[in-house]
Amino acid sequence: MTVAAPRKSARATPRGHGELVVAPVTITPTKPLSPTHVKGLLWTDVLVKASSRLGPVRLVWNNRMATVTTQSTAFWHHLDRTEPGTDWSTLTATDIGERYVRYHAGRPRTDPRALDDYLARADATGWIHPAGRRMLDLWRAELRLLGVADPGLAVDRPLATGAPAALARLADRGLLIDHRRHGGPVHLDGTRWGLPLRRLVGSDGHPNYLLPILRELIPMIRPGRTFLLVCDDDLSADYVLLDRVLGAFGARVARLSLSRVPLAGTTRSSRYGGWRGVTLGDLSAEPGTAGRAAYRLGMRLYFTGVLQRRSAQSFRLPLLRRCVGRAARLLDRAPAEADDAHDVEQTLTRLRTAPGYVDPYRLTTSLLGRHALPPTPHLRALYT
């Protein structure tokens, strides 16, 4: 989905466009990065790099948005209960991810009170289970090889506001149905927009994953900012609600939903498996003659260009290999002439969408299509 303080470009803001705040969906550090995760990460990477050439861009990532959740803490409680002596620092992402799949396959029932301490520590101190720490370390190495800037996977930062304060602000806007005094849950009320109620806090007092996101984003709202919410299609209903809620606080919001990447014709959550052999770690370990730059460019050609925003085609390793080979050939050919930064910015301006971000698919297909010239230095920097 503790992220270092959000990164911000120093470029002047073009007239009519303020700061772009990019908030990708959180990813719990409980499993390997699947092709769907890779697609989201690379779309975000190209989008941020290209858009920051035109104006200020801030990437929001905070580990606590993914760890102050039942999804993470219930799994970690399970690991502590079943494997108290395991040295997680020696295991692979697949080792940990397969435990996550088995855990969900067992249809676990966890005493909510057993998670109280886990959630409290994750929220108050940034605590992450050793298995989660190991997963974050592995992600960092894989993203470094891929050329994706670390958004802050090794940094701890409290959420921008506490849960009680966030709930109070939502209540002040009439956005909550709160049954806590009766021992019940708290629902986010989007019925004014024709949206169904969405549980925000359970009757056990545990937050839904939307609450940490709201705790981080609501305090960031201010004039001149546009929030871009990036998610996969399966979460669109929740992200439409997030859009409306942030808008009720005065935010200007846009959404970018991406289709998941089917595996062998099946689209499903990573908790159900099916990703073995095609995780980011597996892809980076694939044998081949292409160098690191070709791997980085080829991965972007495939995940942002071939798969597109809403492609229904299954992940195809042979096609990815062809993209890496094509990238190697492009990089081996010297560009006809050095590009001018101003010319690149003019091109990016033409590809900028109404909310203010550069569309990664249009950028990839227009500049690196079948008849493209070798990427010049300024263009190459956007992809590698």
Side-chain angles (χ1 to χ4, degrees):
M1 193 243 280
T2 211
V3 163
R7 293 176 296 150
K8 186 176 180 181
S9 77
R11 289 185 172 271
T13 304
R15 181 174 298 179
H17 290 276
E19 182 180 44
L20 180 67
V21 178
V22 181
V25 65
T26 57
I27 307 173
T28 60
T30 54
K31 64 270 184 177
L33 294 173
S34 70
T36 292
H37 296 131
V38 175
K39 179 179 178 179
L41 288 163
L42 287 177
W43 269 73
T44 300
D45 179 69
V46 173
L47 184 153
V48 168
K49 287 177 179 175
S51 302
S52 64
R53 296 290 296 269
L54 302 179
V57 176
R58 183 179 293 248
L59 176 64
V60 179
W61 184 285
N62 188 324
N63 281 341
R64 297 194 199 188
M65 293 163 70
T67 59
V68 186
T69 63
T70 301
Q71 183 179 351
S72 294
T73 55
F75 174 57
W76 293 338
H77 170 264
H78 166 77
L79 294 181
D80 283 345
R81 184 173 56 83
T82 58
E83 300 186 53
T86 298
D87 179 4
W88 301 104
S89 66
T90 65
L91 300 189
T92 67
T94 296
D95 292 334
I96 298 171
E98 287 181 338
R99 286 166 166 83
Y100 186 65
V101 172
R102 290 197 297 270
Y103 163 71
H104 282 286
R107 299 182 180 275
R109 290 187 177 182
T110 304
D111 178 1
R113 300 282 69 83
L115 301 184
D116 289 349
D117 181 59
Y118 286 77
L119 286 163
R121 282 190 290 160
D123 197 356
T125 69
W127 173 84
I128 297 175
H129 189 278
R133 291 281 180 197
R134 172 60 173 167
M135 193 67 76
L136 290 174
D137 288 342
L138 293 168
W139 288 0
R140 289 175 63 211
E142 292 163 6
L143 293 179
R144 184 165 53 248
L145 181 61
L146 189 56
V148 174
D150 183 354
L153 296 173
V155 179
D156 178 53
R157 179 169 57 83
L159 293 168
T161 191
L167 291 171
R169 295 187 67 179
L170 291 165
D172 288 343
R173 290 290 199 286
L175 292 168
L176 292 186
I177 295 179
D178 190 346
H179 292 293
R180 283 178 293 177
R181 62 179 178 175
H182 306 297
V186 180
H187 286 90
L188 200 55
D189 183 6
T191 55
R192 70 183 70 175
W193 304 297
L195 302 174
L197 298 177
R198 183 66 163 97
R199 189 176 65 183
L200 197 59
V201 180
S203 56
D204 52 17
H206 297 168
N208 171 275
Y209 83 101
L210 294 176
L211 183 55
I213 296 174
L214 289 167
R215 289 173 56 187
E216 185 73 0
L217 296 185
I218 289 176
M220 295 181 65
I221 296 172
R222 63 198 61 176
R225 280 183 171 170
T226 297
F227 288 80
L228 178 63
L229 307 178
V230 184
C231 69
D232 64 62
D233 280 342
D234 283 11
L235 299 176
S236 288
D238 279 348
Y239 271 72
V240 168
L241 182 56
L242 280 176
D243 179 336
R244 300 297 190 274
V245 170
L246 294 173
F249 284 89
R252 183 169 55 187
V253 185
R255 285 176 286 111
L256 176 61
S257 60
L258 305 170
S259 62
R260 291 192 174 190
V261 181
L263 300 177
T266 301
T267 303
R268 57 185 175 182
S269 169
S270 56
R271 73 180 62 182
Y272 301 115
W275 36 254
R276 188 179 180 91
V278 294
T279 68
L280 181 56
D282 295 323
L283 299 181
S284 65
E286 275 288 311
T289 58
R292 178 175 297 189
Y295 164 70
R296 291 176 172 180
L297 178 58
M299 288 284 280
R300 287 158 174 80
L301 289 177
Y302 180 70
F303 282 100
T304 66
V306 174
L307 291 188
Q308 310 176 32
R309 179 176 176 178
R310 289 207 164 93
S311 173
Q313 65 173 286
S314 290
F315 176 78
R316 296 162 61 191
L317 183 58
L319 184 52
L320 172 59
R321 287 198 185 103
R322 288 204 292 273
C323 286
V324 174
R326 170 168 158 66
R329 292 190 296 274
L330 282 171
L331 293 170
D332 283 344
R333 294 161 49 199
E337 58 183 17
D339 57 348
D340 181 270
H342 177 69
D343 291 339
V344 171
E345 291 185 11
Q346 284 188 321
T347 299
L348 296 178
T349 299
R350 291 196 299 271
L351 299 174
R352 183 166 52 186
T353 63
Y357 68 88
V358 176
D359 185 300
Y361 171 72
R362 292 180 62 204
L363 177 65
T364 300
T365 55
S366 64
L367 299 182
L368 294 172
R370 179 171 297 180
H371 303 294
L373 295 172
T376 51
H378 285 286
L379 176 59
R380 178 172 171 174
L382 303 179
Y383 284 88
T384 59

